[in-house]
Amino acid sequence: MSVEDGGVRGLGRPRQARWILMLLLSTAMYGAHAPLLALCHVDGRVPFRPSSAVLLTELTKLLLCAFSFLVGWQVWPQGAPPWRQAAPFALSALLYGANNNLVIYLQRYMDPSTYQVLSNLKIGSTALLYCLCLQHRLSPRQGLALLLLMAAGACYAAGGLWDPRNTLPGLHPAAAASPMPLHITPLGLLLLILYCLISGLSSVYTELLMKRQQLPLALQNLFLYTFGVLLNLGLHAGAGPGPGFLEGFSGWAALVVLSQALNGLLMSAVMKHGSSITRLFVVSCSLVVNAVLSAALLRLQLTATFFLATLLIGLAVHLYYGSR
């Protein structure tokens, strides 16, 4: 069974252990993103320019890739670099740039808990594009597993967390700093749908590109993040007046940038050696991390629906990756 088809049995034990560790780390970083971003809020708003955070994230990823070549962790391919193969990554950078900026802008039109739950609509859009673009047909068992992931998100939305101070189920950890009821505006819903479509397209397109090119992953990342930095630098410069480049940044904001950069590198490996569906499971499992961090750090209480959502996610993982 291949990694892409949903297993790691074909790998040796050391590689299998590294693969599982990588997925666990990525799950933890995804789950921590929304709580960390909420902890950055001042008076209920993000105090820094979203374009600054995204640009710093892309720059961090590029520097980490370049550093890996400089210290010899990655070997530069012999001969002249195939720069013509770099051009398709411009579209990937454009899609990821739009996606990353939407993640932060969405926080203005809904509470973080609503975002964390409804963003799982990307499961459907990604699965659909995965089947259409990669011509990969899902079995009924696999389709059921993806439906269970969506059901798990619905259970979490029904009240996976409870704030005893406000008696509102589903309240996000941001409420610890300033109470924020569950809400979403019509514009927020439209942006969320756009976010899910772009998320699915960026994932499937990048997977297709990375697997078709016979280039080292580190070089592909170098291409991708070079375009990413250039794109986001232009977006930041054209954003108009606002806070300074690092104005409003805190230790929490720096942690958001670093975790997103590291998670981007991990997801590149998933696209190269796994699949977009694997990424879906990582994102869905991150709901568990999100809830546990909210309970541990911000004194929110887990409810029965959270454990039901966790059970559904576990069942979905078993159906998709278990023995057939």
Side-chain angles (χ1 to χ4, degrees), residues 91-111:
L91 179 56
S92 286
L94 180 62
L95 293 172
Y96 280 122
N99 199 57
N100 291 336
N101 279 279
L102 276 174
V103 168
I104 297 180
Y105 281 109
L106 280 170
Q107 309 295 323
R108 300 181 178 181
Y109 304 104
M110 67 190 71
D111 65 283

PDB file of all heavy atoms in Angstrom, residues 91-111:
ATOM      1  N   LEU A  91       1.881  30.051 -10.105  1.00  0.00           N
ATOM      2  CA  LEU A  91       0.453  29.882  -9.848  1.00  0.00           C
ATOM      3  C   LEU A  91       0.218  29.313  -8.453  1.00  0.00           C
ATOM      4  O   LEU A  91      -0.709  29.735  -7.747  1.00  0.00           O
ATOM      5  CB  LEU A  91      -0.180  28.980 -10.905  1.00  0.00           C
ATOM      6  CG  LEU A  91      -1.686  28.689 -10.737  1.00  0.00           C
ATOM      7  CD1 LEU A  91      -2.474  29.994 -10.684  1.00  0.00           C
ATOM      8  CD2 LEU A  91      -2.183  27.798 -11.863  1.00  0.00           C
ATOM      9  N   SER A  92       1.060  28.366  -8.048  1.00  0.00           N
ATOM     10  CA  SER A  92       0.951  27.827  -6.690  1.00  0.00           C
ATOM     11  C   SER A  92       1.116  28.932  -5.657  1.00  0.00           C
ATOM     12  O   SER A  92       0.357  29.012  -4.679  1.00  0.00           O
ATOM     13  CB  SER A  92       2.008  26.736  -6.450  1.00  0.00           C
ATOM     14  OG  SER A  92       1.677  25.545  -7.110  1.00  0.00           O
ATOM     15  N   ALA A  93       2.123  29.775  -5.877  1.00  0.00           N
ATOM     16  CA  ALA A  93       2.362  30.879  -4.945  1.00  0.00           C
ATOM     17  C   ALA A  93       1.175  31.828  -4.907  1.00  0.00           C
ATOM     18  O   ALA A  93       0.797  32.332  -3.834  1.00  0.00           O
ATOM     19  CB  ALA A  93       3.631  31.629  -5.343  1.00  0.00           C
ATOM     20  N   LEU A  94       0.579  32.083  -6.070  1.00  0.00           N
ATOM     21  CA  LEU A  94      -0.588  32.973  -6.133  1.00  0.00           C
ATOM     22  C   LEU A  94      -1.758  32.389  -5.341  1.00  0.00           C
ATOM     23  O   LEU A  94      -2.422  33.104  -4.570  1.00  0.00           O
ATOM     24  CB  LEU A  94      -0.992  33.187  -7.592  1.00  0.00           C
ATOM     25  CG  LEU A  94      -2.200  34.097  -7.837  1.00  0.00           C
ATOM     26  CD1 LEU A  94      -1.913  35.503  -7.336  1.00  0.00           C
ATOM     27  CD2 LEU A  94      -2.555  34.120  -9.316  1.00  0.00           C
ATOM     28  N   LEU A  95      -2.011  31.098  -5.511  1.00  0.00           N
ATOM     29  CA  LEU A  95      -3.118  30.457  -4.802  1.00  0.00           C
ATOM     30  C   LEU A  95      -2.864  30.416  -3.295  1.00  0.00           C
ATOM     31  O   LEU A  95      -3.753  30.733  -2.493  1.00  0.00           O
ATOM     32  CB  LEU A  95      -3.328  29.039  -5.340  1.00  0.00           C
ATOM     33  CG  LEU A  95      -3.830  28.936  -6.777  1.00  0.00           C
ATOM     34  CD1 LEU A  95      -3.799  27.485  -7.257  1.00  0.00           C
ATOM     35  CD2 LEU A  95      -5.252  29.489  -6.903  1.00  0.00           C
ATOM     36  N   TYR A  96      -1.649  30.029  -2.915  1.00  0.00           N
ATOM     37  CA  TYR A  96      -1.321  29.973  -1.492  1.00  0.00           C
ATOM     38  C   TYR A  96      -1.335  31.368  -0.874  1.00  0.00           C
ATOM     39  O   TYR A  96      -1.751  31.542   0.278  1.00  0.00           O
ATOM     40  CB  TYR A  96       0.048  29.318  -1.269  1.00  0.00           C
ATOM     41  CG  TYR A  96       0.018  27.808  -1.316  1.00  0.00           C
ATOM     42  CD1 TYR A  96       0.812  27.112  -2.223  1.00  0.00           C
ATOM     43  CD2 TYR A  96      -0.792  27.085  -0.459  1.00  0.00           C
ATOM     44  CE1 TYR A  96       0.790  25.723  -2.272  1.00  0.00           C
ATOM     45  CE2 TYR A  96      -0.815  25.700  -0.492  1.00  0.00           C
ATOM     46  CZ  TYR A  96      -0.025  25.020  -1.404  1.00  0.00           C
ATOM     47  OH  TYR A  96      -0.057  23.644  -1.446  1.00  0.00           O
ATOM     48  N   GLY A  97      -0.868  32.374  -1.633  1.00  0.00           N
ATOM     49  CA  GLY A  97      -0.869  33.738  -1.123  1.00  0.00           C
ATOM     50  C   GLY A  97      -2.279  34.216  -0.832  1.00  0.00           C
ATOM     51  O   GLY A  97      -2.558  34.799   0.227  1.00  0.00           O
ATOM     52  N   ALA A  98      -3.199  33.971  -1.764  1.00  0.00           N
ATOM     53  CA  ALA A  98      -4.597  34.350  -1.554  1.00  0.00           C
ATOM     54  C   ALA A  98      -5.186  33.588  -0.383  1.00  0.00           C
ATOM     55  O   ALA A  98      -5.907  34.145   0.457  1.00  0.00           O
ATOM     56  CB  ALA A  98      -5.389  34.075  -2.827  1.00  0.00           C
ATOM     57  N   ASN A  99      -4.849  32.306  -0.299  1.00  0.00           N
ATOM     58  CA  ASN A  99      -5.377  31.466   0.770  1.00  0.00           C
ATOM     59  C   ASN A  99      -4.897  31.930   2.144  1.00  0.00           C
ATOM     60  O   ASN A  99      -5.684  32.069   3.091  1.00  0.00           O
ATOM     61  CB  ASN A  99      -4.949  30.015   0.524  1.00  0.00           C
ATOM     62  CG  ASN A  99      -5.792  29.026   1.287  1.00  0.00           C
ATOM     63  OD1 ASN A  99      -7.006  28.994   1.150  1.00  0.00           O
ATOM     64  ND2 ASN A  99      -5.150  28.209   2.094  1.00  0.00           N
ATOM     65  N   ASN A 100      -3.597  32.193   2.261  1.00  0.00           N
ATOM     66  CA  ASN A 100      -3.021  32.600   3.546  1.00  0.00           C
ATOM     67  C   ASN A 100      -3.547  33.948   4.008  1.00  0.00           C
ATOM     68  O   ASN A 100      -3.756  34.168   5.207  1.00  0.00           O
ATOM     69  CB  ASN A 100      -1.493  32.633   3.446  1.00  0.00           C
ATOM     70  CG  ASN A 100      -0.892  31.253   3.293  1.00  0.00           C
ATOM     71  OD1 ASN A 100      -1.494  30.260   3.687  1.00  0.00           O
ATOM     72  ND2 ASN A 100       0.300  31.183   2.707  1.00  0.00           N
ATOM     73  N   ASN A 101      -3.752  34.860   3.069  1.00  0.00           N
ATOM     74  CA  ASN A 101      -4.295  36.162   3.446  1.00  0.00           C
ATOM     75  C   ASN A 101      -5.755  36.041   3.872  1.00  0.00           C
ATOM     76  O   ASN A 101      -6.193  36.724   4.805  1.00  0.00           O
ATOM     77  CB  ASN A 101      -4.162  37.154   2.284  1.00  0.00           C
ATOM     78  CG  ASN A 101      -2.770  37.755   2.198  1.00  0.00           C
ATOM     79  OD1 ASN A 101      -2.442  38.682   2.920  1.00  0.00           O
ATOM     80  ND2 ASN A 101      -1.932  37.208   1.321  1.00  0.00           N
ATOM     81  N   LEU A 102      -6.502  35.175   3.207  1.00  0.00           N
ATOM     82  CA  LEU A 102      -7.896  34.985   3.572  1.00  0.00           C
ATOM     83  C   LEU A 102      -8.037  34.420   4.989  1.00  0.00           C
ATOM     84  O   LEU A 102      -8.984  34.776   5.711  1.00  0.00           O
ATOM     85  CB  LEU A 102      -8.583  34.047   2.573  1.00  0.00           C
ATOM     86  CG  LEU A 102      -9.114  34.684   1.295  1.00  0.00           C
ATOM     87  CD1 LEU A 102      -9.622  33.625   0.337  1.00  0.00           C
ATOM     88  CD2 LEU A 102     -10.231  35.677   1.603  1.00  0.00           C
ATOM     89  N   VAL A 103      -7.112  33.542   5.391  1.00  0.00           N
ATOM     90  CA  VAL A 103      -7.174  32.957   6.730  1.00  0.00           C
ATOM     91  C   VAL A 103      -7.221  34.043   7.794  1.00  0.00           C
ATOM     92  O   VAL A 103      -8.007  33.978   8.749  1.00  0.00           O
ATOM     93  CB  VAL A 103      -5.968  32.023   6.973  1.00  0.00           C
ATOM     94  CG1 VAL A 103      -5.871  31.652   8.448  1.00  0.00           C
ATOM     95  CG2 VAL A 103      -6.100  30.766   6.135  1.00  0.00           C
ATOM     96  N   ILE A 104      -6.401  35.065   7.633  1.00  0.00           N
ATOM     97  CA  ILE A 104      -6.348  36.139   8.631  1.00  0.00           C
ATOM     98  C   ILE A 104      -7.523  37.097   8.471  1.00  0.00           C
ATOM     99  O   ILE A 104      -8.150  37.507   9.454  1.00  0.00           O
ATOM    100  CB  ILE A 104      -5.001  36.875   8.544  1.00  0.00           C
ATOM    101  CG1 ILE A 104      -3.855  35.907   8.889  1.00  0.00           C
ATOM    102  CG2 ILE A 104      -4.979  38.076   9.468  1.00  0.00           C
ATOM    103  CD1 ILE A 104      -2.479  36.510   8.833  1.00  0.00           C
ATOM    104  N   TYR A 105      -7.867  37.444   7.228  1.00  0.00           N
ATOM    105  CA  TYR A 105      -8.981  38.360   7.013  1.00  0.00           C
ATOM    106  C   TYR A 105     -10.311  37.761   7.473  1.00  0.00           C
ATOM    107  O   TYR A 105     -11.212  38.499   7.898  1.00  0.00           O
ATOM    108  CB  TYR A 105      -9.069  38.760   5.544  1.00  0.00           C
ATOM    109  CG  TYR A 105      -8.084  39.827   5.147  1.00  0.00           C
ATOM    110  CD1 TYR A 105      -6.995  39.536   4.338  1.00  0.00           C
ATOM    111  CD2 TYR A 105      -8.237  41.136   5.605  1.00  0.00           C
ATOM    112  CE1 TYR A 105      -6.082  40.520   3.983  1.00  0.00           C
ATOM    113  CE2 TYR A 105      -7.330  42.124   5.259  1.00  0.00           C
ATOM    114  CZ  TYR A 105      -6.255  41.806   4.444  1.00  0.00           C
ATOM    115  OH  TYR A 105      -5.347  42.781   4.111  1.00  0.00           O
ATOM    116  N   LEU A 106     -10.441  36.443   7.389  1.00  0.00           N
ATOM    117  CA  LEU A 106     -11.674  35.798   7.825  1.00  0.00           C
ATOM    118  C   LEU A 106     -11.951  36.029   9.302  1.00  0.00           C
ATOM    119  O   LEU A 106     -13.119  36.044   9.730  1.00  0.00           O
ATOM    120  CB  LEU A 106     -11.602  34.290   7.547  1.00  0.00           C
ATOM    121  CG  LEU A 106     -11.886  33.839   6.113  1.00  0.00           C
ATOM    122  CD1 LEU A 106     -11.545  32.366   5.939  1.00  0.00           C
ATOM    123  CD2 LEU A 106     -13.337  34.091   5.754  1.00  0.00           C
ATOM    124  N   GLN A 107     -10.894  36.222  10.104  1.00  0.00           N
ATOM    125  CA  GLN A 107     -11.076  36.434  11.536  1.00  0.00           C
ATOM    126  C   GLN A 107     -11.867  37.713  11.820  1.00  0.00           C
ATOM    127  O   GLN A 107     -12.398  37.872  12.921  1.00  0.00           O
ATOM    128  CB  GLN A 107      -9.713  36.492  12.233  1.00  0.00           C
ATOM    129  CG  GLN A 107      -8.777  35.338  11.925  1.00  0.00           C
ATOM    130  CD  GLN A 107      -9.281  34.002  12.418  1.00  0.00           C
ATOM    131  OE1 GLN A 107      -9.887  33.911  13.487  1.00  0.00           O
ATOM    132  NE2 GLN A 107      -9.059  32.948  11.649  1.00  0.00           N
ATOM    133  N   ARG A 108     -11.933  38.616  10.853  1.00  0.00           N
ATOM    134  CA  ARG A 108     -12.666  39.862  11.052  1.00  0.00           C
ATOM    135  C   ARG A 108     -14.167  39.692  10.886  1.00  0.00           C
ATOM    136  O   ARG A 108     -14.943  40.560  11.301  1.00  0.00           O
ATOM    137  CB  ARG A 108     -12.180  40.918  10.049  1.00  0.00           C
ATOM    138  CG  ARG A 108     -10.689  41.250  10.167  1.00  0.00           C
ATOM    139  CD  ARG A 108     -10.301  42.312   9.155  1.00  0.00           C
ATOM    140  NE  ARG A 108      -8.892  42.674   9.270  1.00  0.00           N
ATOM    141  CZ  ARG A 108      -8.293  43.594   8.524  1.00  0.00           C
ATOM    142  NH1 ARG A 108      -9.005  44.249   7.603  1.00  0.00           N
ATOM    143  NH2 ARG A 108      -7.012  43.870   8.684  1.00  0.00           N
ATOM    144  N   TYR A 109     -14.591  38.602  10.246  1.00  0.00           N
ATOM    145  CA  TYR A 109     -16.001  38.434   9.904  1.00  0.00           C
ATOM    146  C   TYR A 109     -16.640  37.241  10.596  1.00  0.00           C
ATOM    147  O   TYR A 109     -17.799  36.932  10.336  1.00  0.00           O
ATOM    148  CB  TYR A 109     -16.152  38.293   8.390  1.00  0.00           C
ATOM    149  CG  TYR A 109     -15.557  39.452   7.631  1.00  0.00           C
ATOM    150  CD1 TYR A 109     -14.339  39.329   6.974  1.00  0.00           C
ATOM    151  CD2 TYR A 109     -16.206  40.685   7.594  1.00  0.00           C
ATOM    152  CE1 TYR A 109     -13.789  40.401   6.289  1.00  0.00           C
ATOM    153  CE2 TYR A 109     -15.663  41.756   6.915  1.00  0.00           C
ATOM    154  CZ  TYR A 109     -14.452  41.609   6.267  1.00  0.00           C
ATOM    155  OH  TYR A 109     -13.908  42.677   5.601  1.00  0.00           O
ATOM    156  N   MET A 110     -15.894  36.572  11.453  1.00  0.00           N
ATOM    157  CA  MET A 110     -16.442  35.459  12.223  1.00  0.00           C
ATOM    158  C   MET A 110     -15.540  35.209  13.417  1.00  0.00           C
ATOM    159  O   MET A 110     -14.388  35.665  13.456  1.00  0.00           O
ATOM    160  CB  MET A 110     -16.533  34.195  11.356  1.00  0.00           C
ATOM    161  CG  MET A 110     -15.196  33.604  10.925  1.00  0.00           C
ATOM    162  SD  MET A 110     -15.366  32.314   9.689  1.00  0.00           S
ATOM    163  CE  MET A 110     -15.856  33.279   8.257  1.00  0.00           C
ATOM    164  N   ASP A 111     -16.051  34.482  14.387  1.00  0.00           N
ATOM    165  CA  ASP A 111     -15.214  34.134  15.531  1.00  0.00           C
ATOM    166  C   ASP A 111     -14.299  32.966  15.157  1.00  0.00           C
ATOM    167  O   ASP A 111     -14.601  32.204  14.232  1.00  0.00           O
ATOM    168  CB  ASP A 111     -16.091  33.761  16.726  1.00  0.00           C
ATOM    169  CG  ASP A 111     -16.892  32.506  16.457  1.00  0.00           C
ATOM    170  OD1 ASP A 111     -17.899  32.598  15.729  1.00  0.00           O
ATOM    171  OD2 ASP A 111     -16.498  31.437  16.941  1.00  0.00           O
TER     172      ASP A 111
END
